[in-house]
């Protein structure tokens, strides 16, 4: 399984750092939604679902967390601990976010508006779904292969 982690360009000077993200330039899709989570309680695991078509970039802009990615065949754990790194999470990918530091702020850039019907929240249903759709993810397309 290919894990795609983007390293964004910080524009640093003696005042500090600034990261700018533009759709189709730094991010491989049109950004239709941004959300973020913070004050995550100790020991909590979030996510535990996949999306049928949503693509996202996860950026831990403060603190740290870990993300488990599972494509139904392979699992990988990706630490997120730098505000200039973004993890590309394609459709058809089970994800779990955990091990949040007290100060963690996890920001997500999403390719679609919120749509509960895009979620697969049952793991067995997810395995069946990826089996039937031939594991095709947006990352397999030319657009998702940019970096
Ligand atoms: C994902 C991971 C990384 C909204 O009303 N609008 C939104 O855009 C989102 C994302 C959530 N919500 C509501 C729905 C729930 O009542 O916020 C509540 C918490 O959402 P959820 O339990 O889905 O949060 P996570 O952290 O388990 O998952 C979220 C995203 O939902 C999901 O797409 O990939 O972050």
């Amino acid at each position: 399984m290919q894990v795609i982690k983007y390293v964004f360009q910080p524009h640093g000077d003696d005042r500090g750092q600034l990261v700018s993200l533009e759709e189709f330039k730094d991010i491989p899709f049109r950004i239709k939604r941004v959300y973020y989570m913070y004050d995550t309680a100790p020991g909590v695991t979030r996510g535990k679902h996949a999306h049928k078509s949503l693509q996202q970039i996860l950026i831990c802009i403060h603190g740290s967390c870990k993300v488990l990615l599972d494509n139904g065949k392979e699992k990988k754990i990706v630490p997120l601990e730098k505000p200039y790194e973004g993890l590309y999470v394609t459709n058809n990918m089970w994800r779990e976010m955990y091990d949040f530091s007290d100060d963690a702020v996890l920001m997500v850039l999403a390719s679609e508006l919120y749509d509960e019907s895009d979620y697969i929240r049952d793991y067995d249903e997810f395995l069946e779904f990826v089996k039937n759709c031939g594991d095709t993810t947006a990352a397999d397309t030319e657009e998702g292969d940019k970096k």
Side-chain angles (χ1 to χ4, degrees):
M1 175 172 52
Q2 192 190 9
V3 171
I4 302 177
K5 215 178 195 189
Y6 288 79
V7 179
F8 306 121
Q9 177 67 58
H11 302 280
D13 58 29
D14 53 9
R15 297 169 297 173
Q17 304 295 329
L18 183 154
V19 173
S20 159
L21 302 174
E22 296 185 13
E23 54 192 12
F24 299 127
K25 184 174 157 212
D26 309 287
I27 303 299
F29 50 77
R30 170 136 295 147
I31 302 164
K32 289 201 183 161
R33 180 167 52 111
V34 177
Y35 60 92
Y36 49 91
M37 49 201 85
Y38 60 96
D39 275 355
T40 308
V44 157
T45 299
R46 301 195 65 120
K48 298 188 185 169
H49 59 253
H51 283 279
K52 294 173 195 165
S53 60
L54 186 71
Q55 303 173 63
Q56 305 193 103
I57 300 267
L58 275 56
I59 307 169
C60 200
I61 55 173
H62 198 258
S64 63
C65 69
K66 291 194 177 79
V67 183
L68 170 94
L69 295 178
D70 176 352
N71 66 2
K73 288 183 180 160
E74 253 185 286
K75 297 181 191 195
K76 289 222 169 128
I77 293 170
V78 185
L80 286 181
E81 47 203 16
K82 305 271 196 296
Y84 53 82
E85 283 182 351
L87 175 64
Y88 183 36
V89 182
T90 64
N91 60 321
N92 300 350
M93 186 73 74
W94 190 265
R95 81 286 316 268
E96 298 184 8
M97 301 86 73
Y98 64 101
D99 211 7
F100 287 85
S101 61
D102 289 347
D103 57 352
V105 181
L106 180 62
M107 183 177 78
V108 182
L109 310 179
S111 65
E112 303 296 337
L113 302 179
Y114 180 68
D115 176 8
E116 184 56 39
S117 71
D118 191 61
Y119 285 71
I120 306 172
R121 294 192 182 274
D122 179 83
Y123 189 68
D124 291 334
E125 196 187 316
F126 162 68
L127 292 179
E128 196 60 26
F129 187 81
V130 287
K131 204 167 82 185
N132 292 334
C133 70
D135 297 348
T136 311
T137 67
D140 297 328
T141 67
E142 205 181 319
E143 186 179 86
D145 264 349
K146 266 195 195 155
K147 288 192 183 172

